[in-house]
């Protein structure tokens, strides 16, 4: 019998019908439904759910405790607390199900049971969403660590910019190191980003939630280096803290200890470091007790440790213990293809730390930078870019801006003087003039875009930059 006009306008009637309609729709659309009473016993299960539960008939579940039907179910918790669990992933029979659980109330609002619906029984369609949620959770954890932990590592592999062969190999080995807890030795010239890569390894490892402790071995006085590493017992020597002091190994327990300039470690301390690495035990200065530590060591050096070993200033057994996985970081002069990307990242960092909102670099500036040999590598490059921005009025760095502050001898070469008409030109000079003219044409055709000009000539950007510097050419006005 159709409802009267009075009942249709009755709020209680509408609410009751809405609930019935919602239940009917959910039951039809979902992959399974089950309900329990206040005591946690099953009072309803639909036929769709039977196969997933390993049942043939609904009566097999009715009256049984929910945990006998669905192990580790949270339905009883919902019935007892009255709090819904709106979205969850539940494992059942080796499958992952997306479920929702809600309390059931009587007319007076008292919780009398709970009902659960299986929304999805296949997660393939939700993978992009789940991956995004996982990434957001990872980013949130990293942000919290950086805010709350003064010893948190700041850099990730995304900060180690570059795709040239040397950088790509270093990143591939570093990714392998992150998946293990092996000792890593980073080698390379000063300023190549060894500590940045060490932090990236830490942040990509299972130790990411633990401390990252960095020590520059060369900066610690010889008289303090043992206590700096291993700590001191209370009253170990005159003037020592009566409460004792924790060393860097203890502070880094569970995390990563980065030892920069390891080649400068005094010979007499190397044996104690070797024992700490091999036995995972430390003995504070002035103590006769050893304690266990769980620390992954990443060491770095800009000197040839093998030569130090042959000279007798570095223990061979410690060298072999540190050199479980060696990663060589290439100098900047070997990665000129990556110069635009590296400069862009450095300018982002500089802009974030100063008032350089519109900071950008032009192809002519990149060509000037590519001519220089960069003995200080990326650290020196950052210094040059920051100085150029300070002296620039527009924040748009050109070849002239860079050439003015590069060290003496790094400025662009001037063009060769013109020769008298009729003079026979040697083959080598004619070839050079043709090469220079070809470069100029490519720059003009690409409106100063280095990448496009190099593509036209079918050479790499690094080769193009070198040839620009060779002939004293500057790229056009387009910015990168």
């Amino acid at each position: 019998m159709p409802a009267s006009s009075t009942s249709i306008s009755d709020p209680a009637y509408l609410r009751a019908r809405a609930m019935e309609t919602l239940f009917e729709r959910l039951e039809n659309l979902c992959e399974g439904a089950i309900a329990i009473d206040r005591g946690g016993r099953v009072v309803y299960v639909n036929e769709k759910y039977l196969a997933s539960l390993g049942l043939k008939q609904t009566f097999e579940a009715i009256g049984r405790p929910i945990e006998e039907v669905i192990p580790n179910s949270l339905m009883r918790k919902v019935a007892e607390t009255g709090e819904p669990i709106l979205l969850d992933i539940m494992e059942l029979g080796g499958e992952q199900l997306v479920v929702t659980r809600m309390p059931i109330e009587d007319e007076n609002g008292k919780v009398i049971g709970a009902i659960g619906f299986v929304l999805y029984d296949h997660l393939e369609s939700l993978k992009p969403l789940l991956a995004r949620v996982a990434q957001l959770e990872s980013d949130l954890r990293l942000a919290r660590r950086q805010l709350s932990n003064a010893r948190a590592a700041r850099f990730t592999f995304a900060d180690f910019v570059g795709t040239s062969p040397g950088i790509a190999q270093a990143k591939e080995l570093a990714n392998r190191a992150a998946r293990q807890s092996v000792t890593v030795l980073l080698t390379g010239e000063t300023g190549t980003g060894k500590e940045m890569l060490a932090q990236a390894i830490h942040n990509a490892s299972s130790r990411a939630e633990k401390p990252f402790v960095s020590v520059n071995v060369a900066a610690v006085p010889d008289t303090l280096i043992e206590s700096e590493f291993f700590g001191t017992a209370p009253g170990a020597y005159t003037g020592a803290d009566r409460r004792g002091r924790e060393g860097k190994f203890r502070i880094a327990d569970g995390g990563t200890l980065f030892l920069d300039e390891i080649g400068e470690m005094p010979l007499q301390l190397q044996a104690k470091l070797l024992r700490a690495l091999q036995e995972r035990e430390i003995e504070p200065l002035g103590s006769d007790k050893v304690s266990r530590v769980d620390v992954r060591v990443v060491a770095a050096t800009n000197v040839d440790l093998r030569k130090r070993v042959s000279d007798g200033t570095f223990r061979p057994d410690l060298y072999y213990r540190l050199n479980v996985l060696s990663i060589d970081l290439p100098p900047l002069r070997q990665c000129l293809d990556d110069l635009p990307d590296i400069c862009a990242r450095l300018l982002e960092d500089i802009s974030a730390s100063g008032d350089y909102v519109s900071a950008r670099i032009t192809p002519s500036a990149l060509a000037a930078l590519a001519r220089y040999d960069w003995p200080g590598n990326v650290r020196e490059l950052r210094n040059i870019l920051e100085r150029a921005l300070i002296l620039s009025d527009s924040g748009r760095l050109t070849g002239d801006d860079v050439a003015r502050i590069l060290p003496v001898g790094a400025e662009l070469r001037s063009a060769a003087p013109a020769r008298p008409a009729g003079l026979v030109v040697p083959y080598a000079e004619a070839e050079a003039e043709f090469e220079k003219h070809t470069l100029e044409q490519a720059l003009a055709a690409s409106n100063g875009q280095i990448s496009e000009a190099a593509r036209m000539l079918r050479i790499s950007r690094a080769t193009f930059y070198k040839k620009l510097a060779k002939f004293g050419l500057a790229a056009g006005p387009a910015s990168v």
Side-chain angles (χ1 to χ4, degrees), residues 340-409:
D341 294 333
I342 294 173
C343 286
R345 177 55 62 88
L346 291 175
L347 287 174
E348 285 180 14
D349 291 344
I350 295 169
S351 298
S353 62
D355 190 17
Y356 311 109
V357 177
S358 60
R360 61 191 188 279
I361 191 166
T362 64
S364 64
L366 288 169
L369 294 172
R371 183 192 183 281
Y372 186 47
D373 205 34
W374 299 109
N377 295 292
V378 178
R379 185 180 293 123
E380 185 181 12
L381 174 60
R382 180 188 173 101
N383 175 271
I384 292 294
L385 291 174
E386 192 159 14
R387 287 167 58 193
L389 282 173
I390 292 172
L391 298 175
S392 171
D393 294 327
S394 65
R396 180 177 178 273
L397 301 183
T398 66
D400 290 339
D401 294 327
V402 171
R404 279 197 297 268
I405 58 176
L406 281 173
V408 176

Side-chain angles (χ1 to χ4, degrees), residues 63 73 78 91 108 122 172 230 245 327 342 353 383 434 450:
S73 172
V78 174
E91 288 199 9
N108 301 317
H122 296 287
E172 197 274 332
F230 306 111
R245 178 185 177 188
I327 303 176
I342 294 173
S353 62
N383 175 271
F434 174 80
I450 298 292

